Amino acid sequence: MKKKKEERKRPSNFIRNIIIQDIKSNKYGGKVITRFPPEPNGYLHIGHAKSIVMNFGFAIEFNGRCHLRFDDTNPTKEEQEYVDAIMEDVRWLGYDWGEHLYYASDYFDQFYEYAEQLIKMGKAFVCDLSPEEIKEYRGTLTEPGKESPYRNRSVEENLDLFRRMRAGEFKDGERTLRAKIDMAAGNLNMRDPVIYRIMHVPHHRTGDKWCIYPMYDFAHCLSDSIEHITHSLCSLEFEDHRPLYDWFLDTLQVEWHPQQIEFARLNLTYTILSKRKLIKLVETGVVDGWDDPRMPTISGMRRRGFPPAAIRDFCERIGVAKKESVVDVALLEHCIRDELNRTAPRRMAVLDPLKVVIENYPEGQEEELDAINNPEDPSYGTRKVPFSREIFIERTDFMEEPPKKFYRLAPGREVRLRYAYFITCKEVVKDKDTGEIVELRCTYDPATKGGNAPDGRKVRGTIHWVSAPHAFKAEVRLYDRLFDHPYPDRAKEEGKTFLDHLNSNSLEIKKDCLMEPSLKDAEPGKVYQFERIGYFCADSRNSRPGSPVFNRTITLRDTWAKIEKRFKEQEKQKKNRKK
Ligand code: ATP
Ligand code: MG
């Protein structure tokens, strides 16, 4: 039976509640327009996926729309490469912004007009303090700031200086345009924040047109307003910026005033989610680029074989909260397994081959056996797997002196070869010099074809195998978590950096794995379950036609399921105790 994905009740969500209220009260004419506003200064990671799933998800749920807007106001760090990668990643996650692709840089002229408007209203001034002096004058959380000596320039002088800033008459850092708000405000963001700075840096879209660039707080609220965004969802660290967001829009009396709503960003155990730190991993060569399968980037996860549906499922399950927390990476892994269990075709591959000769199987004979492609879903059908006198099994599936609970192959013991026959181990052949086991001599029972004995006798172990003359060799990369510490981000508290917590075993390359022939044409990006081993994805970069390289997507062991089971048991016990 095909296991249908259970309809999961969505976790309660305070943002959805706000939206539902707003639709009821006809705020914004009942419309829902959200946006995902990445800065093109790096690749997207799983934290961004949370924001994408939320923003596009609400748009879909409430028949609205979601804009993709590049927040490209800092040309020193931004590049076209990132713009392209971000679009690819959002699409791959399954979302479509339609015609609503925007760039903050498209609004530079409008931002400039708004800035002049503030100057004319006496609400902004050109300041000659250096960046260090501005910081000094700013005060602290306990002390009010000091007003800039340039704060009371006339409108005419401010306009003249601002126009000359734009014309390129001044050097970087020589002057800024600042909002005139309140240097004694309790919220530091309101202490005459800088809204324009001079940067003689070409922009990846506007070229040399500008040498002054707006600050995030100014550009963001205005972009939202220009696009008629209704709900501007951003992460918690912008909560203290909300008064400024509203100040700009109120002061400028814009016709469209979106509301900013903050939510807790995603943190994951064993994972770093900061573009700044991820860039460091890329630049120092710790990983093989942004799409290294160990990276928490969308492109890394794609190369690793994580299905987009599983990532969306994960983002739905973690929900949206107003309080910071750290999600167990085991939950993400659980979602990946859950999806792949239903969708990944099964194949046989041997990572550490040990040769087995079946002595009573006629030499030169071969046959094709039927193997099930996915026990979870009969629509995947069956395939033929070749069988012959010489096969390979996993080295770890044989033990000369097996401990108690080892049910696989051992001297004198009978096991089932998956989809094939029962075999019994008769002899162990060792290398004379090293003592290493090089071959097993076995016999098979022809009556057990397909894996069942007509006399009803049982075997405890079932192992996978490949036929020696038919199998082909392939490289397999065993990926594991990049960090060996659950909170690599907290390294600072221990006087270390996140780089001190790198897992030295996060990649093991195996060159001589043996695969059943049907894997030869594995399509890059496609994920298979190698029976009894895990999920593996044909690498999209290193595979060649007829010669795939496989990345381990994930092992079969589901630690989250165990955690959940334990939790349920505890709950049950609690209930019983109450009774
Ligand atoms: P980083 O801290 O990794 O550099 P960022 O916030 O600077 O991320 P942006 O490109 O500005 O990156 O982010 C685009 C959107 O994604 C923002 O709305 C931001 O709030 C959201 N976002 C970024 N990181 C996370 C996260 N970990 N969880 C949820 N949302 C996130
Ligand atoms: Mg940012």
PDB file of all heavy atoms in Angstrom, residues 400-428:
ATOM      1  N   GLU A 400      33.768 -13.837  11.265  1.00  0.00           N
ATOM      2  CA  GLU A 400      34.263 -15.193  11.479  1.00  0.00           C
ATOM      3  C   GLU A 400      33.832 -15.714  12.844  1.00  0.00           C
ATOM      4  O   GLU A 400      33.465 -16.871  12.993  1.00  0.00           O
ATOM      5  CB  GLU A 400      35.782 -15.196  11.358  1.00  0.00           C
ATOM      6  CG  GLU A 400      36.282 -16.526  10.875  1.00  0.00           C
ATOM      7  CD  GLU A 400      37.767 -16.516  10.578  1.00  0.00           C
ATOM      8  OE1 GLU A 400      38.429 -15.493  10.842  1.00  0.00           O
ATOM      9  OE2 GLU A 400      38.257 -17.550  10.084  1.00  0.00           O
ATOM     10  N   GLU A 401      33.889 -14.827  13.830  1.00  0.00           N
ATOM     11  CA  GLU A 401      33.423 -15.218  15.165  1.00  0.00           C
ATOM     12  C   GLU A 401      32.349 -14.238  15.608  1.00  0.00           C
ATOM     13  O   GLU A 401      32.633 -13.259  16.288  1.00  0.00           O
ATOM     14  CB  GLU A 401      34.596 -15.206  16.151  1.00  0.00           C
ATOM     15  CG  GLU A 401      35.585 -16.334  15.867  1.00  0.00           C
ATOM     16  CD  GLU A 401      36.921 -16.112  16.555  1.00  0.00           C
ATOM     17  OE1 GLU A 401      36.947 -15.499  17.641  1.00  0.00           O
ATOM     18  OE2 GLU A 401      37.933 -16.528  15.978  1.00  0.00           O
ATOM     19  N   PRO A 402      31.121 -14.497  15.181  1.00  0.00           N
ATOM     20  CA  PRO A 402      30.061 -13.510  15.406  1.00  0.00           C
ATOM     21  C   PRO A 402      29.648 -13.412  16.874  1.00  0.00           C
ATOM     22  O   PRO A 402      29.552 -14.438  17.548  1.00  0.00           O
ATOM     23  CB  PRO A 402      28.897 -14.058  14.576  1.00  0.00           C
ATOM     24  CG  PRO A 402      29.159 -15.512  14.486  1.00  0.00           C
ATOM     25  CD  PRO A 402      30.633 -15.698  14.502  1.00  0.00           C
ATOM     26  N   PRO A 403      29.436 -12.210  17.353  1.00  0.00           N
ATOM     27  CA  PRO A 403      28.881 -12.045  18.693  1.00  0.00           C
ATOM     28  C   PRO A 403      27.408 -12.435  18.679  1.00  0.00           C
ATOM     29  O   PRO A 403      26.825 -12.702  17.627  1.00  0.00           O
ATOM     30  CB  PRO A 403      29.056 -10.556  18.972  1.00  0.00           C
ATOM     31  CG  PRO A 403      29.110  -9.922  17.627  1.00  0.00           C
ATOM     32  CD  PRO A 403      29.671 -10.942  16.685  1.00  0.00           C
ATOM     33  N   LYS A 404      26.785 -12.418  19.830  1.00  0.00           N
ATOM     34  CA  LYS A 404      25.442 -12.962  20.003  1.00  0.00           C
ATOM     35  C   LYS A 404      24.394 -12.450  19.010  1.00  0.00           C
ATOM     36  O   LYS A 404      23.683 -13.216  18.407  1.00  0.00           O
ATOM     37  CB  LYS A 404      24.981 -12.713  21.426  1.00  0.00           C
ATOM     38  CG  LYS A 404      24.619 -14.016  22.113  1.00  0.00           C
ATOM     39  CD  LYS A 404      24.061 -13.753  23.476  1.00  0.00           C
ATOM     40  CE  LYS A 404      23.503 -15.063  24.026  1.00  0.00           C
ATOM     41  NZ  LYS A 404      23.115 -14.935  25.403  1.00  0.00           N
ATOM     42  N   LYS A 405      24.298 -11.153  18.897  1.00  0.00           N
ATOM     43  CA  LYS A 405      23.186 -10.630  18.109  1.00  0.00           C
ATOM     44  C   LYS A 405      23.518 -10.363  16.645  1.00  0.00           C
ATOM     45  O   LYS A 405      22.816  -9.632  15.959  1.00  0.00           O
ATOM     46  CB  LYS A 405      22.653  -9.355  18.766  1.00  0.00           C
ATOM     47  CG  LYS A 405      21.883  -9.679  20.031  1.00  0.00           C
ATOM     48  CD  LYS A 405      20.930  -8.584  20.401  1.00  0.00           C
ATOM     49  CE  LYS A 405      19.987  -9.078  21.483  1.00  0.00           C
ATOM     50  NZ  LYS A 405      19.278  -7.972  22.140  1.00  0.00           N
ATOM     51  N   PHE A 406      24.584 -10.937  16.188  1.00  0.00           N
ATOM     52  CA  PHE A 406      24.969 -10.776  14.785  1.00  0.00           C
ATOM     53  C   PHE A 406      24.266 -11.859  13.977  1.00  0.00           C
ATOM     54  O   PHE A 406      24.552 -13.046  14.124  1.00  0.00           O
ATOM     55  CB  PHE A 406      26.490 -10.894  14.669  1.00  0.00           C
ATOM     56  CG  PHE A 406      27.026 -10.596  13.302  1.00  0.00           C
ATOM     57  CD1 PHE A 406      27.339  -9.295  12.920  1.00  0.00           C
ATOM     58  CD2 PHE A 406      27.242 -11.624  12.379  1.00  0.00           C
ATOM     59  CE1 PHE A 406      27.844  -9.029  11.655  1.00  0.00           C
ATOM     60  CE2 PHE A 406      27.742 -11.362  11.110  1.00  0.00           C
ATOM     61  CZ  PHE A 406      28.044 -10.055  10.759  1.00  0.00           C
ATOM     62  N   TYR A 407      23.302 -11.439  13.128  1.00  0.00           N
ATOM     63  CA  TYR A 407      22.493 -12.443  12.419  1.00  0.00           C
ATOM     64  C   TYR A 407      22.887 -12.586  10.959  1.00  0.00           C
ATOM     65  O   TYR A 407      22.190 -13.214  10.178  1.00  0.00           O
ATOM     66  CB  TYR A 407      21.016 -12.072  12.511  1.00  0.00           C
ATOM     67  CG  TYR A 407      20.526 -12.052  13.938  1.00  0.00           C
ATOM     68  CD1 TYR A 407      19.929 -10.919  14.477  1.00  0.00           C
ATOM     69  CD2 TYR A 407      20.679 -13.177  14.753  1.00  0.00           C
ATOM     70  CE1 TYR A 407      19.493 -10.908  15.796  1.00  0.00           C
ATOM     71  CE2 TYR A 407      20.254 -13.170  16.066  1.00  0.00           C
ATOM     72  CZ  TYR A 407      19.655 -12.042  16.586  1.00  0.00           C
ATOM     73  OH  TYR A 407      19.236 -12.038  17.880  1.00  0.00           O
ATOM     74  N   ARG A 408      23.983 -11.981  10.590  1.00  0.00           N
ATOM     75  CA  ARG A 408      24.355 -12.036   9.182  1.00  0.00           C
ATOM     76  C   ARG A 408      25.226 -13.276   8.925  1.00  0.00           C
ATOM     77  O   ARG A 408      25.174 -14.222   9.695  1.00  0.00           O
ATOM     78  CB  ARG A 408      25.044 -10.732   8.807  1.00  0.00           C
ATOM     79  CG  ARG A 408      24.077  -9.567   8.901  1.00  0.00           C
ATOM     80  CD  ARG A 408      24.755  -8.218   8.886  1.00  0.00           C
ATOM     81  NE  ARG A 408      24.930  -7.672  10.220  1.00  0.00           N
ATOM     82  CZ  ARG A 408      25.666  -6.602  10.488  1.00  0.00           C
ATOM     83  NH1 ARG A 408      26.315  -5.990   9.518  1.00  0.00           N
ATOM     84  NH2 ARG A 408      25.775  -6.165  11.722  1.00  0.00           N
ATOM     85  N   LEU A 409      26.053 -13.198   7.903  1.00  0.00           N
ATOM     86  CA  LEU A 409      26.775 -14.409   7.502  1.00  0.00           C
ATOM     87  C   LEU A 409      27.946 -14.715   8.451  1.00  0.00           C
ATOM     88  O   LEU A 409      28.642 -13.802   8.897  1.00  0.00           O
ATOM     89  CB  LEU A 409      27.286 -14.230   6.067  1.00  0.00           C
ATOM     90  CG  LEU A 409      27.647 -15.498   5.301  1.00  0.00           C
ATOM     91  CD1 LEU A 409      26.464 -16.458   5.232  1.00  0.00           C
ATOM     92  CD2 LEU A 409      28.135 -15.151   3.908  1.00  0.00           C
ATOM     93  N   ALA A 410      28.120 -16.010   8.716  1.00  0.00           N
ATOM     94  CA  ALA A 410      29.234 -16.491   9.537  1.00  0.00           C
ATOM     95  C   ALA A 410      29.496 -17.938   9.122  1.00  0.00           C
ATOM     96  O   ALA A 410      28.656 -18.548   8.454  1.00  0.00           O
ATOM     97  CB  ALA A 410      28.862 -16.419  11.014  1.00  0.00           C
ATOM     98  N   PRO A 411      30.650 -18.484   9.478  1.00  0.00           N
ATOM     99  CA  PRO A 411      30.963 -19.863   9.059  1.00  0.00           C
ATOM    100  C   PRO A 411      29.855 -20.832   9.458  1.00  0.00           C
ATOM    101  O   PRO A 411      29.391 -20.820  10.606  1.00  0.00           O
ATOM    102  CB  PRO A 411      32.261 -20.182   9.810  1.00  0.00           C
ATOM    103  CG  PRO A 411      32.908 -18.840  10.007  1.00  0.00           C
ATOM    104  CD  PRO A 411      31.774 -17.875  10.225  1.00  0.00           C
ATOM    105  N   GLY A 412      29.386 -21.597   8.486  1.00  0.00           N
ATOM    106  CA  GLY A 412      28.357 -22.597   8.751  1.00  0.00           C
ATOM    107  C   GLY A 412      26.947 -22.031   8.808  1.00  0.00           C
ATOM    108  O   GLY A 412      25.982 -22.774   8.932  1.00  0.00           O
ATOM    109  N   ARG A 413      26.811 -20.736   8.706  1.00  0.00           N
ATOM    110  CA  ARG A 413      25.489 -20.138   8.866  1.00  0.00           C
ATOM    111  C   ARG A 413      24.806 -19.855   7.518  1.00  0.00           C
ATOM    112  O   ARG A 413      25.457 -19.586   6.529  1.00  0.00           O
ATOM    113  CB  ARG A 413      25.610 -18.833   9.640  1.00  0.00           C
ATOM    114  CG  ARG A 413      24.224 -18.338  10.042  1.00  0.00           C
ATOM    115  CD  ARG A 413      24.280 -17.075  10.796  1.00  0.00           C
ATOM    116  NE  ARG A 413      24.799 -17.221  12.141  1.00  0.00           N
ATOM    117  CZ  ARG A 413      25.075 -16.167  12.905  1.00  0.00           C
ATOM    118  NH1 ARG A 413      24.917 -14.959  12.440  1.00  0.00           N
ATOM    119  NH2 ARG A 413      25.528 -16.355  14.120  1.00  0.00           N
ATOM    120  N   GLU A 414      23.481 -19.921   7.539  1.00  0.00           N
ATOM    121  CA  GLU A 414      22.698 -19.670   6.327  1.00  0.00           C
ATOM    122  C   GLU A 414      22.025 -18.302   6.420  1.00  0.00           C
ATOM    123  O   GLU A 414      21.450 -17.960   7.461  1.00  0.00           O
ATOM    124  CB  GLU A 414      21.636 -20.765   6.170  1.00  0.00           C
ATOM    125  CG  GLU A 414      20.880 -20.686   4.859  1.00  0.00           C
ATOM    126  CD  GLU A 414      19.998 -21.921   4.631  1.00  0.00           C
ATOM    127  OE1 GLU A 414      19.252 -22.308   5.551  1.00  0.00           O
ATOM    128  OE2 GLU A 414      20.063 -22.487   3.512  1.00  0.00           O
ATOM    129  N   VAL A 415      22.117 -17.514   5.340  1.00  0.00           N
ATOM    130  CA  VAL A 415      21.404 -16.227   5.276  1.00  0.00           C
ATOM    131  C   VAL A 415      20.709 -16.101   3.934  1.00  0.00           C
ATOM    132  O   VAL A 415      20.973 -16.868   3.000  1.00  0.00           O
ATOM    133  CB  VAL A 415      22.336 -15.000   5.442  1.00  0.00           C
ATOM    134  CG1 VAL A 415      23.003 -14.972   6.800  1.00  0.00           C
ATOM    135  CG2 VAL A 415      23.355 -14.920   4.315  1.00  0.00           C
ATOM    136  N   ARG A 416      19.834 -15.121   3.858  1.00  0.00           N
ATOM    137  CA  ARG A 416      19.138 -14.861   2.598  1.00  0.00           C
ATOM    138  C   ARG A 416      19.869 -13.758   1.840  1.00  0.00           C
ATOM    139  O   ARG A 416      20.229 -12.731   2.409  1.00  0.00           O
ATOM    140  CB  ARG A 416      17.709 -14.413   2.889  1.00  0.00           C
ATOM    141  CG  ARG A 416      16.922 -13.991   1.646  1.00  0.00           C
ATOM    142  CD  ARG A 416      15.587 -13.359   2.001  1.00  0.00           C
ATOM    143  NE  ARG A 416      14.680 -14.320   2.618  1.00  0.00           N
ATOM    144  CZ  ARG A 416      14.302 -14.286   3.889  1.00  0.00           C
ATOM    145  NH1 ARG A 416      14.749 -13.342   4.698  1.00  0.00           N
ATOM    146  NH2 ARG A 416      13.474 -15.187   4.369  1.00  0.00           N
ATOM    147  N   LEU A 417      20.088 -13.996   0.547  1.00  0.00           N
ATOM    148  CA  LEU A 417      20.550 -12.918  -0.324  1.00  0.00           C
ATOM    149  C   LEU A 417      19.284 -12.256  -0.845  1.00  0.00           C
ATOM    150  O   LEU A 417      18.425 -12.919  -1.422  1.00  0.00           O
ATOM    151  CB  LEU A 417      21.366 -13.473  -1.506  1.00  0.00           C
ATOM    152  CG  LEU A 417      22.717 -14.112  -1.192  1.00  0.00           C
ATOM    153  CD1 LEU A 417      23.312 -14.671  -2.491  1.00  0.00           C
ATOM    154  CD2 LEU A 417      23.680 -13.108  -0.568  1.00  0.00           C
ATOM    155  N   ARG A 418      19.184 -10.983  -0.617  1.00  0.00           N
ATOM    156  CA  ARG A 418      17.967 -10.255  -0.973  1.00  0.00           C
ATOM    157  C   ARG A 418      17.538 -10.542  -2.417  1.00  0.00           C
ATOM    158  O   ARG A 418      18.363 -10.472  -3.322  1.00  0.00           O
ATOM    159  CB  ARG A 418      18.237  -8.756  -0.825  1.00  0.00           C
ATOM    160  CG  ARG A 418      16.985  -7.921  -0.857  1.00  0.00           C
ATOM    161  CD  ARG A 418      16.851  -7.185   0.457  1.00  0.00           C
ATOM    162  NE  ARG A 418      15.833  -6.157   0.392  1.00  0.00           N
ATOM    163  CZ  ARG A 418      14.559  -6.387   0.733  1.00  0.00           C
ATOM    164  NH1 ARG A 418      14.173  -7.587   1.112  1.00  0.00           N
ATOM    165  NH2 ARG A 418      13.688  -5.412   0.683  1.00  0.00           N
ATOM    166  N   TYR A 419      16.285 -10.902  -2.618  1.00  0.00           N
ATOM    167  CA  TYR A 419      15.687 -11.187  -3.933  1.00  0.00           C
ATOM    168  C   TYR A 419      16.282 -12.419  -4.617  1.00  0.00           C
ATOM    169  O   TYR A 419      15.961 -12.715  -5.758  1.00  0.00           O
ATOM    170  CB  TYR A 419      15.832 -10.007  -4.910  1.00  0.00           C
ATOM    171  CG  TYR A 419      15.320  -8.715  -4.361  1.00  0.00           C
ATOM    172  CD1 TYR A 419      16.146  -7.605  -4.248  1.00  0.00           C
ATOM    173  CD2 TYR A 419      13.995  -8.600  -3.947  1.00  0.00           C
ATOM    174  CE1 TYR A 419      15.684  -6.416  -3.728  1.00  0.00           C
ATOM    175  CE2 TYR A 419      13.522  -7.419  -3.416  1.00  0.00           C
ATOM    176  CZ  TYR A 419      14.363  -6.330  -3.312  1.00  0.00           C
ATOM    177  OH  TYR A 419      13.895  -5.154  -2.797  1.00  0.00           O
ATOM    178  N   ALA A 420      17.193 -13.155  -3.921  1.00  0.00           N
ATOM    179  CA  ALA A 420      17.877 -14.257  -4.607  1.00  0.00           C
ATOM    180  C   ALA A 420      17.658 -15.599  -3.887  1.00  0.00           C
ATOM    181  O   ALA A 420      16.561 -16.146  -3.949  1.00  0.00           O
ATOM    182  CB  ALA A 420      19.349 -13.917  -4.758  1.00  0.00           C
ATOM    183  N   TYR A 421      18.670 -16.085  -3.232  1.00  0.00           N
ATOM    184  CA  TYR A 421      18.638 -17.425  -2.637  1.00  0.00           C
ATOM    185  C   TYR A 421      19.155 -17.399  -1.205  1.00  0.00           C
ATOM    186  O   TYR A 421      19.770 -16.433  -0.774  1.00  0.00           O
ATOM    187  CB  TYR A 421      19.551 -18.365  -3.436  1.00  0.00           C
ATOM    188  CG  TYR A 421      19.144 -18.581  -4.870  1.00  0.00           C
ATOM    189  CD1 TYR A 421      19.733 -17.839  -5.893  1.00  0.00           C
ATOM    190  CD2 TYR A 421      18.198 -19.556  -5.199  1.00  0.00           C
ATOM    191  CE1 TYR A 421      19.379 -18.033  -7.218  1.00  0.00           C
ATOM    192  CE2 TYR A 421      17.839 -19.762  -6.532  1.00  0.00           C
ATOM    193  CZ  TYR A 421      18.432 -18.997  -7.535  1.00  0.00           C
ATOM    194  OH  TYR A 421      18.077 -19.214  -8.835  1.00  0.00           O
ATOM    195  N   PHE A 422      18.971 -18.506  -0.524  1.00  0.00           N
ATOM    196  CA  PHE A 422      19.663 -18.745   0.745  1.00  0.00           C
ATOM    197  C   PHE A 422      21.061 -19.237   0.403  1.00  0.00           C
ATOM    198  O   PHE A 422      21.222 -20.068  -0.490  1.00  0.00           O
ATOM    199  CB  PHE A 422      18.963 -19.845   1.561  1.00  0.00           C
ATOM    200  CG  PHE A 422      17.651 -19.431   2.181  1.00  0.00           C
ATOM    201  CD1 PHE A 422      17.058 -18.205   1.895  1.00  0.00           C
ATOM    202  CD2 PHE A 422      17.016 -20.299   3.069  1.00  0.00           C
ATOM    203  CE1 PHE A 422      15.844 -17.862   2.480  1.00  0.00           C
ATOM    204  CE2 PHE A 422      15.812 -19.954   3.657  1.00  0.00           C
ATOM    205  CZ  PHE A 422      15.216 -18.735   3.366  1.00  0.00           C
ATOM    206  N   ILE A 423      22.048 -18.733   1.116  1.00  0.00           N
ATOM    207  CA  ILE A 423      23.398 -19.292   0.950  1.00  0.00           C
ATOM    208  C   ILE A 423      23.947 -19.677   2.329  1.00  0.00           C
ATOM    209  O   ILE A 423      23.568 -19.109   3.349  1.00  0.00           O
ATOM    210  CB  ILE A 423      24.393 -18.327   0.256  1.00  0.00           C
ATOM    211  CG1 ILE A 423      24.497 -17.003   1.017  1.00  0.00           C
ATOM    212  CG2 ILE A 423      24.024 -18.094  -1.194  1.00  0.00           C
ATOM    213  CD1 ILE A 423      25.694 -16.164   0.599  1.00  0.00           C
ATOM    214  N   THR A 424      24.860 -20.634   2.292  1.00  0.00           N
ATOM    215  CA  THR A 424      25.502 -21.078   3.540  1.00  0.00           C
ATOM    216  C   THR A 424      27.007 -20.957   3.377  1.00  0.00           C
ATOM    217  O   THR A 424      27.564 -21.346   2.348  1.00  0.00           O
ATOM    218  CB  THR A 424      25.148 -22.552   3.826  1.00  0.00           C
ATOM    219  OG1 THR A 424      23.720 -22.680   3.829  1.00  0.00           O
ATOM    220  CG2 THR A 424      25.702 -22.999   5.178  1.00  0.00           C
ATOM    221  N   CYS A 425      27.649 -20.415   4.364  1.00  0.00           N
ATOM    222  CA  CYS A 425      29.099 -20.213   4.287  1.00  0.00           C
ATOM    223  C   CYS A 425      29.827 -21.505   4.658  1.00  0.00           C
ATOM    224  O   CYS A 425      29.645 -22.060   5.749  1.00  0.00           O
ATOM    225  CB  CYS A 425      29.526 -19.094   5.225  1.00  0.00           C
ATOM    226  SG  CYS A 425      31.302 -18.847   5.204  1.00  0.00           S
ATOM    227  N   LYS A 426      30.664 -21.968   3.734  1.00  0.00           N
ATOM    228  CA  LYS A 426      31.360 -23.247   3.940  1.00  0.00           C
ATOM    229  C   LYS A 426      32.830 -23.061   4.301  1.00  0.00           C
ATOM    230  O   LYS A 426      33.426 -23.882   4.968  1.00  0.00           O
ATOM    231  CB  LYS A 426      31.284 -24.083   2.649  1.00  0.00           C
ATOM    232  CG  LYS A 426      29.874 -24.480   2.258  1.00  0.00           C
ATOM    233  CD  LYS A 426      29.334 -25.524   3.227  1.00  0.00           C
ATOM    234  CE  LYS A 426      27.930 -25.960   2.813  1.00  0.00           C
ATOM    235  NZ  LYS A 426      27.309 -26.816   3.820  1.00  0.00           N
ATOM    236  N   GLU A 427      33.415 -21.978   3.804  1.00  0.00           N
ATOM    237  CA  GLU A 427      34.858 -21.854   3.994  1.00  0.00           C
ATOM    238  C   GLU A 427      35.291 -20.400   3.891  1.00  0.00           C
ATOM    239  O   GLU A 427      34.717 -19.630   3.118  1.00  0.00           O
ATOM    240  CB  GLU A 427      35.550 -22.671   2.885  1.00  0.00           C
ATOM    241  CG  GLU A 427      37.030 -22.870   3.088  1.00  0.00           C
ATOM    242  CD  GLU A 427      37.695 -23.430   1.806  1.00  0.00           C
ATOM    243  OE1 GLU A 427      36.986 -24.066   0.988  1.00  0.00           O
ATOM    244  OE2 GLU A 427      38.898 -23.172   1.632  1.00  0.00           O
ATOM    245  N   VAL A 428      36.278 -20.052   4.677  1.00  0.00           N
ATOM    246  CA  VAL A 428      36.808 -18.691   4.658  1.00  0.00           C
ATOM    247  C   VAL A 428      38.215 -18.741   4.081  1.00  0.00           C
ATOM    248  O   VAL A 428      39.061 -19.484   4.568  1.00  0.00           O
ATOM    249  CB  VAL A 428      36.871 -18.123   6.086  1.00  0.00           C
ATOM    250  CG1 VAL A 428      37.371 -16.682   6.080  1.00  0.00           C
ATOM    251  CG2 VAL A 428      35.514 -18.223   6.759  1.00  0.00           C
TER     252      VAL A 428
END
